Amino acid sequence: MTYQFTIIVPVYNEADNLLRVESELLNYLKIATVTTTVLFVNDGSSDNSQSLIETICKRNGAFEYISFKENKGLSAAIKAGFDHVDTNLVGYIDSDLQTTPEDFNILLEHIEAYELVTGVRSNRKDAFIKSMSSKIANGIRRTFTHDGMIDTGCPLKVMKTDYAKRIPMFRGLHRFLPAMIMLQHGRVKQVSVRHFPRIAGTGKFGFWNRLFGPLVDCFAYLWMKKKYINYDISKSSTRK
């Protein structure tokens, strides 16, 4: 089968969630509006995640995985996914299932006219401190990037793969994907998606790394924006 869309699922110590992830993704594949495959990226988990991922992939032909030797962080996992995929469209979803794969169809409705379509978590089900720190962090990022993104940290996105592969990723840059697409003169759209409470596993980001980390990363983004190389070819004699 020729696939059009790859869903990247970064995994770090999510053994308690993975069978639910399998079930939810299998249900989505039945209703997906484009032919879809799934790529797990195991970010050096120290629990039973890798064994479960291998079992899941063995019994589902549309599922694949890559696994890091050691934990490298969410940005590295997403970049590895971008590097690996060969479909025209790529997206990702967190393995905590606080968003639902079903909402990929909502994003896919708009992807033809945009280079990235990102979810906005409506009616968030997080604790007050988590929601407030995320809101502050989003405000800080908007001040630096002027990208207009309400919820850039939403773990539900779809983008055109050729744009995704050109993003020069560094640690923490997963928070700046819309801004990095816009640096390539790509078009970005925000769409409301559903949000659910975490019912298994534990969150990987705390209050301080939601606030201090993004602030530091904003300066890295500004440096990259100043140095970023972007060009358009007007003519070429090459056959590629």
Side-chain angles (χ1 to χ4, degrees), residues 27-91:
N27 288 336
Y28 173 67
L29 295 185
K30 297 174 184 176
I31 63 168
T33 54
V34 296
T35 53
T36 302
T37 184
V38 175
L39 175 65
F40 289 105
V41 182
N42 180 16
D43 183 21
S45 296
S46 58
D47 64 358
N48 195 38
S49 290
Q50 180 58 29
S51 177
L52 284 168
I53 288 170
E54 291 182 25
T55 299
I56 290 168
C57 291
K58 282 180 182 177
R59 64 190 179 208
N60 297 293
F63 290 56
E64 294 182 326
Y65 73 86
I66 55 179
S67 182
F68 290 175
K69 291 182 179 179
E70 56 188 13
N71 177 246
K72 291 295 183 179
L74 181 56
S75 291
I78 293 172
K79 173 175 170 45
F82 289 168
D83 291 343
H84 186 83
V85 303
D86 56 8
T87 52
N88 290 332
L89 298 174
V90 62

Side-chain angles (χ1 to χ4, degrees), residues 141-184:
R141 281 190 290 271
R142 280 196 302 274
T143 299
F144 279 80
T145 63
H146 304 289
D147 61 7
M149 295 294 106
I150 298 170
D151 184 16
T152 189
C154 178
L156 198 73
K157 291 179 171 62
V158 175
M159 62 196 80
K160 292 176 179 171
T161 302
D162 55 345
Y163 279 77
K165 286 182 178 291
R166 289 197 295 264
I167 295 174
M169 296 286 284
F170 60 80
R171 188 180 295 273
L173 198 65
H174 64 274
R175 303 180 179 103
F176 295 84
L177 291 177
M180 295 307 298
I181 294 295
M182 293 170 72
L183 275 184
Q184 301 179 52

Side-chain angles (χ1 to χ4, degrees), residues 64-126:
E64 294 182 326
Y65 73 86
I66 55 179
S67 182
F68 290 175
K69 291 182 179 179
E70 56 188 13
N71 177 246
K72 291 295 183 179
L74 181 56
S75 291
I78 293 172
K79 173 175 170 45
F82 289 168
D83 291 343
H84 186 83
V85 303
D86 56 8
T87 52
N88 290 332
L89 298 174
V90 62
Y92 81 90
I93 186 171
D94 276 358
S95 48
D96 61 13
L97 288 180
Q98 287 195 256
T99 52
T100 174
E102 291 182 5
D103 285 349
F104 275 122
N105 282 350
I106 300 173
L107 306 187
L108 287 165
E109 289 178 10
H110 306 279
I111 194 61
E112 185 175 348
Y114 296 88
E115 279 60 61
L116 180 147
V117 183
T118 181
V120 175
R121 291 166 286 188
S122 58
N123 192 21
R124 289 186 65 168
K125 305 298 183 180
D126 291 324

